[in-house]
Amino acid sequence: MPKRALITGITGQDGSYLAELLLDKGYEVHGMVRRASTEKFDRIEHLRDKITLHQGDLLDQRSLVDTIRASAPDEIYNLAAMSFVGLSWVQPTLTADFTGVSVTRVLEAMREAAPEARFYQASSSEMFGKVREVPQSEETPLYPRSPYGVAKVYGHFITVNYRESYDLHATSGILFNHESPRRGLEFVTRKITWHAAAIKHGLRKELALGNLDAKRDWGYAKDYVEAMWLMLQQDTAEDYVIATGETHTVEECVKVAFDEAGLGDYEPYVRIDPQFVRPAEVDLLIGDPAKAKKDLGWVPETSFEELIRLMTRADLELLSK
């Protein structure tokens, strides 16, 4: 019997890469999707005939139980959330419900319908926010600086709580920023690579950005979903920081993307726009992946520069059509 996995958020960046990885490993893959007025399946279109989709909603307990019963998973990956930090200030209570409280709903549904399953919770480096130490490890105190970060802290600790209270195999992966050609256009790396390609093709004249000096620890989503899978293969459920351990500025990202697009110097094309500066900027987010390396044997395969170049090439190709 092949192993069965259920992925919430399967239509997102991480969900689509994880689905590919699990299919390659011989899993039967199930995904939960929300009934929306506009169905967005473009990231998994190429997998549609290989996976089983269930309609469910993180805000609806009954649908979660039904989805878990129907898919009978060995592994559950909870990747669904309101995932854009900027939007969390505009919709703070919905973010709290989707990104925070819904983790409890999924855990409760699992306890009822598949207590032997293994559970992965997508935690986030945004939980560190106003950082208490550099670099950040599994032991670093949390100080979130956005409604999204606060909701992720709730999801993180409720996962720990259920693991300790009910002896569930429940793990949180504290993933630092991870990008890919499938990243949404609202995220700064993809916004940069898309605009570099658009300017090259004559479709745009400029790129408006906030803080060019903001630093992040950026990795490749395809590498990071491998770490999620590895966590659920461990005998003991523990939490892990998944990161590259190095930071780069938004400006560096711009330079690499504009170079790959053959545009040369970026300065004539980039405009600083105050609306893209966060109400509360996070400090130096840089992860210490030592534990993941030691326990899981996981190391990121793709360098920052390779990542930005492959994203820019993908956008050049996308926009040439």
Side-chain angles (χ1 to χ4, degrees), residues 86-125:
L87 188 65
S88 77
W89 272 283
V90 184
Q91 298 182 320
T93 46
L94 191 61
T95 299
D97 217 352
F98 258 119
T99 304
V101 179
S102 68
V103 182
T104 316
R105 290 193 194 99
V106 179
L107 285 163
E108 273 296 302
M110 169 176 151
R111 222 159 63 84
E112 183 179 326
E116 298 304 308
R118 295 184 170 195
F119 177 81
Y120 173 85
Q121 166 59 14
S123 286
S124 164
S125 60

Side-chain angles (χ1 to χ4, degrees), residues 165-276:
S165 305
Y166 301 116
D167 200 26
L168 297 177
H169 195 294
T171 293
S172 285
I174 306 170
L175 270 57
F176 280 66
N177 293 57
H178 46 290
E179 318 296 314
S180 75
R182 297 180 193 171
R183 193 59 144 148
L185 287 170
E186 68 272 26
F187 291 89
V188 70
T189 47
R190 180 71 200 292
K191 179 181 176 178
I192 290 167
T193 63
W194 187 91
H195 275 84
I199 291 167
K200 178 67 178 175
H201 286 309
L203 303 170
R204 286 287 187 281
K205 294 219 167 19
E206 66 170 19
L207 162 61
L209 289 170
N211 180 8
L212 286 185
D213 297 322
K215 290 184 173 151
R216 293 289 185 274
D217 182 331
W218 277 302
Y220 184 22
K222 209 168 175 178
D223 293 344
Y224 283 38
V225 298
E226 178 98 29
M228 299 176 184
W229 176 76
L230 285 166
M231 283 179 223
L232 294 199
Q233 310 317 306
Q234 306 306 302
D235 293 336
T236 311
E238 290 184 36
D239 304 326
Y240 292 92
V241 163
I242 303 297
T244 68
E246 52 181 64
T247 59
H248 297 274
T249 61
V250 171
E251 185 181 26
E252 281 178 81
C253 181
V254 175
K255 281 180 177 165
V256 174
F258 277 65
D259 179 65
E260 183 63 34
L263 291 165
D265 182 30
Y266 72 87
E267 283 177 3
Y269 305 104
V270 172
R271 175 172 62 82
I272 301 303
D273 186 334
Q275 74 160 327
F276 295 121

